[in-house]
Amino acid sequence: MKHINRRTRTLMEDAAGYAFISPWLLGFVAFSIIPILFSLYYSFTDYDILGDPVFNGLNNFRRMAGDQLFWQSLKVTFFYAFVSVPLRLIFAFFVAMLFNRGTRAIRFYQAVYYVPSLVGGSIAVAVMWRRLFMADGALNAALAKIGIITEYSWIGNPDTAIWTLIVLAIWQFGSSMLIFLAGLRQIPKELYEAASIDGAGSFRKFLNITVPQITPVLFFNLVMQLINGFTVFTQAFVVSGGSGDPLNSTLVYALYLYQRAFKFYNMGYSSAMAWVLVLIIGVMTGIVFKTSSSWVFYEAKEGK
Amino acid sequence: MTNYKIKHILGQTVFHIVVILLGFIMLYPILWMVSNSFKDNADIFNTSSLIPETFRFDNYARGWRFNNSVTFSTFFYNSFYYTIISTIGSVIASSLVAYGFARVPFRGRSFWYGCMFMTMMIPYQVVMVPQFIIFHKLGWINSFKPLIIPQFAGLPFFIFLMVQFIRQIPYELDDSAKIDGCNRFMIYSRILFPLIKPAVITSTIFSFYWRWDDFLGPLLFLNKPRLFTVSLALRMFSDPMTSTDWSAIFAMGTLTLLPVLVIFLIFQKYIVQGLVTTGLKG
């Protein structure tokens, strides 16, 4: 009798649990699982949305290998991610170090430095950014003030256009900074005190305490920012006017994928590209995870 | 004064000067946009000065009128409508789901929790095309449904944040509520929901400004100007092919930033806390 009771109780709990998570579970099936399965199927088809998908095996992937723009978008994206992510993290870490002290004004400064990240995703800022780096934009006007006269369009030149996007990404270092700051505040003060007693200078303390203690946070930031870097879309779309110009120098991967789907209606090709993106992100984060054991410092808990 | 004190004051001064200078550079682009919104169109070019020679407020009126058939009243209404409903939906759904994950020991719980984490790693580009096709077949294109309804499933980030919060609340509270005759839903709604207020506020703020700034969603699903959100309108407005009225564009740009900035100023403490505890995107 008792164990039947227990059985109904677990059944009741199962029912309650699934009832509570049902919004997410339904959404997960409807907006993730089903689309993911469709996406996988489409990636092996030729599909222009008007007709029916036509199975074409590995054709999309073969076509990619010969698609100049595909390789161009990969090149742009790798460059963007590999330049902007480290620079952004270095900058975020530097500013977090600067703010890691107990002045009352810090709260205010934090807010000021966070504002660009707050509005950075908005179209207003992307539009303004485009204007800032034009030949008659504010950057050249500011340069003229210090005596450098240039009619150079930073946004219109294929060599520098991607850099305007990189600068935009670095400019929004706010949330990485806050996460670093939280990490810095968690480093036990005793470590520094003990090091002082041993006669360590501030540079030694930085190198032997701060850096190793912050690596778990760095690891987290690195993974998140890499994913963000490889999927960047809106800024590139707006700054380049949706084209990836000049000369496809700002044609990031997500932008090209979008164009394939919604400008040329190559739904199959675009889906195949999405899976290549998954693969790239998987390999990237995989490398970070794999190498993490050699550079991420975790407190040895059993040693006490 | 001792040597140490002088050194300390000197250090502090250098610190503040560096931080303020850098802070000014950080804010310069935004200040530049705001200042341009008051400038004459001719003055925007070739001047980096932040103070307009003459203040022109008619930029705002001109920008607001947009193309005369649809005005920014419509875009702001659309943005607020879609942002507020999405936010309410995602926050309430997230808290329900979080309660389930944090407090109900059902079978398969860790499996589904793991699935939820996985979805955070998958780039949106994977589901973008099939979602568009599904919504297209459902006849949802050019309505707010594709933008709003998925939000009612809750957001993994918010769910995660709330689960972390609920786990810090002692179980004894649930137990005593149960003795008093509360069922699970009453425990959730009357006891736990009020207690996870900081997580709810953080999620609400983030949801508000992610929805407000969202561009890709409206770009995919809305193509009638009457349905445009502010971000979509602004991008059409600034189309390099058609527009030269930069003062008006910057005026509207400034206005679209206002709701986000105001909310940030009011809830700054929560936003910073929320970011620190979860390490959200950005």
Side-chain angles (χ1 to χ4, degrees):
Chain A
M1 197 62 205
K2 213 173 182 185
H3 74 267
I4 292 170
N5 233 334
R6 192 185 295 157
R7 201 137 143 220
T8 31
R9 229 184 18 237
T10 37
L11 271 179
M12 290 271 286
E13 265 173 350
D14 285 351
Y18 282 96
F20 274 107
I21 70 161
S22 61
W24 170 77
L25 200 56
L26 288 173
F28 176 62
V29 172
F31 305 120
S32 295
I33 291 293
I34 292 175
I36 284 172
L37 293 176
F38 268 108
S39 171
L40 200 57
Y41 166 65
Y42 291 150
S43 66
F44 299 109
T45 65
D46 204 2
Y47 185 27
D48 65 359
I49 208 171
L50 293 171
D52 287 323
V54 181
F55 189 79
N56 69 6
L58 291 171
N59 255 1
N60 288 327
F61 296 94
R62 263 187 235 121
R63 211 174 117 200
M64 242 179 256
D67 180 356
Q68 290 254 323
L69 285 179
F70 167 78
W71 292 107
Q72 171 68 11
S73 70
L74 264 186
K75 211 177 85 188
V76 171
T77 308
F78 268 91
F79 182 76
Y80 172 84
F82 282 171
V83 176
S84 72
V85 172
L87 283 179
R88 185 193 225 187
L89 291 182
I90 289 168
F91 207 54
F93 183 59
F94 167 74
V95 175
M97 286 289 294
L98 209 61
F99 284 169
N100 187 27
R101 46 162 90 195
T103 321
R104 215 180 309 151
I106 291 292
R107 269 276 272 279
F108 171 73
Y109 290 147
Q110 260 181 27
V112 168
Y113 280 60
Y114 186 65
V115 164
S117 309
L118 185 75
V119 300
S122 72
I123 298 306
V125 166
V127 166
M128 179 263 300
W129 209 255
R130 188 183 163 77
R131 203 48 257 169
L132 201 58
F133 290 100
M134 279 183 173
D136 54 2
L139 180 67
N140 283 339
L143 285 175
K145 263 198 186 139
I146 53 170
I148 305 169
I149 306 284
T150 157
E151 288 288 293
Y152 191 76
S153 171
W154 305 86
I155 210 100
N157 194 301
D159 295 328
T160 48
I162 188 70
W163 283 98
T164 64
L165 289 178
I166 290 171
V167 171
L168 180 56
I170 298 168
W171 186 55
Q172 299 165 38
F173 65 83
S175 43
S176 306
M177 170 195 75
L178 290 177
I179 296 164
F180 273 129
L181 200 57
L184 287 173
R185 298 232 161 109
Q186 274 162 13
I187 301 175
K189 290 251 169 6
E190 300 84 61
L191 289 176
Y192 292 106
E193 282 158 17
S196 294
I197 293 166
D198 291 346
S202 37
F203 185 68
R204 274 212 80 84
K205 277 192 256 181
F206 172 75
L207 217 59
N208 292 340
I209 299 171
T210 313
V211 171
Q213 290 278 335
I214 207 74
T215 47
V217 178
L218 175 64
F219 172 71
F220 175 82
N221 266 337
L222 188 61
V223 171
M224 297 307 286
Q225 297 305 330
L226 267 178
I227 296 177
N228 278 341
F230 274 99
T231 53
V232 64
F233 171 79
T234 301
Q235 286 86 343
F237 183 91
V238 176
V239 170
S240 75
S243 62
D245 279 346
L247 290 177
N248 300 312
S249 60
T250 58
L251 186 72
V252 292
Y253 196 84
L255 178 54
Y256 184 50
L257 188 153
Y258 169 87
Q259 287 185 350
R260 275 286 148 204
F262 298 103
K263 207 166 137 194
F264 304 112
Y265 295 102
N266 301 147
M267 297 299 181
Y269 191 74
S270 177
S271 298
M273 275 188 71
W275 285 97
V276 172
L277 182 64
V278 172
L279 193 73
I280 292 169
I281 289 176
V283 169
M284 284 293 138
T285 47
I287 290 172
V288 177
F289 269 92
K290 261 270 184 299
T291 60
S292 67
S293 57
S294 62
W295 61 268
V296 176
F297 174 83
Y298 289 108
E299 207 113 22
K301 290 224 164 82
E302 61 281 345
K304 268 193 172 171
Chain B
M1 245 193 261
T2 62
N3 224 344
Y4 172 78
K5 250 187 182 161
I6 293 172
K7 232 175 151 181
H8 178 75
I9 291 172
L10 212 72
Q12 284 289 310
T13 316
V14 170
F15 168 78
H16 285 286
I17 289 174
V18 169
V19 170
I20 289 170
L21 267 178
L22 205 57
F24 179 73
I25 297 173
M26 292 284 297
L27 286 188
Y28 180 82
I30 298 168
L31 297 174
W32 185 70
M33 171 162 68
V34 175
S35 113
N36 280 340
S37 73
F38 294 109
K39 282 184 196 166
D40 200 271
N41 258 317
D43 290 343
I44 291 181
F45 310 128
N46 285 316
T47 150
S48 58
S49 153
L50 286 182
I51 299 147
E53 278 170 33
T54 45
F55 277 86
R56 303 250 327 233
F57 293 95
D58 59 317
N59 296 334
Y60 281 82
R62 237 177 27 253
W64 193 273
R65 278 200 301 273
F66 194 60
N67 65 7
N68 284 319
S69 65
V70 197
T71 68
F72 262 83
S73 313
T74 309
F75 308 138
F76 271 96
Y77 173 81
N78 290 341
S79 272
F80 273 112
Y81 170 79
Y82 137 73
T83 300
I84 289 171
I85 296 198
S86 302
T87 296
I88 292 171
S90 71
V91 170
I92 289 177
S94 298
S95 71
L96 268 168
V97 175
Y99 175 83
F101 277 130
R103 282 297 209 249
V104 188
F106 60 93
R107 267 171 293 181
R109 175 163 74 158
S110 43
F111 170 76
W112 293 119
Y113 202 56
C115 283
M116 200 189 73
F117 268 91
M118 287 288 290
T119 56
M120 288 201 259
M121 303 282 279
I122 295 170
Y124 179 69
Q125 278 77 11
V126 173
V127 293
M128 180 172 86
V129 166
Q131 270 193 7
F132 177 82
I133 292 166
I134 293 168
F135 293 142
H136 178 78
K137 295 216 158 125
L138 289 173
W140 285 8
I141 305 296
N142 276 324
S143 80
F144 290 105
K145 284 181 198 151
L147 301 174
I148 290 176
I149 291 173
Q151 299 295 319
F152 276 70
L155 245 72
F157 266 133
F158 301 162
I159 296 170
F160 169 70
L161 176 69
M162 292 178 192
V163 166
Q164 297 292 92
F165 236 88
I166 294 174
R167 282 188 180 151
Q168 289 165 13
I169 297 167
Y171 251 111
E172 286 81 42
L173 267 174
D174 300 40
D175 289 338
S176 57
K178 217 180 271 173
I179 291 164
D180 290 344
C182 281
N183 62 32
R184 281 198 187 281
F185 187 77
M186 285 150 82
I187 296 175
Y188 152 79
S189 60
R190 294 195 195 160
I191 315 256
L192 281 168
F193 191 81
L195 283 173
I196 59 168
K197 212 173 84 188
V200 168
I201 293 176
T202 308
S203 307
T204 306
I205 296 163
F206 275 116
S207 172
F208 182 90
Y209 81 69
W210 289 348
R211 289 307 105 216
W212 185 266
D213 283 343
D214 185 25
F215 177 69
L216 184 54
L219 179 70
L220 287 176
F221 303 122
L222 309 172
N223 36 45
K224 284 187 186 145
R226 210 156 274 292
L227 297 169
F228 280 1
T229 58
V230 286
S231 49
L232 211 49
L234 211 54
R235 130 102 185 128
M236 299 304 154
F237 201 0
S238 66
D239 189 341
M241 309 302 276
T242 57
S243 189
T244 45
D245 193 352
W246 283 96
S247 305
I249 291 166
F250 283 130
M252 290 306 104
T254 303
L255 287 186
T256 62
L257 295 186
L258 267 185
V260 173
L261 287 175
V262 167
I263 287 177
F264 178 64
L265 287 178
I266 299 172
F267 295 106
Q268 202 222 107
K269 200 177 79 189
Y270 290 103
I271 296 178
V272 173
Q273 252 176 23
L275 261 172
V276 167
T277 42
T278 54
L280 296 184
K281 68 151 221 180

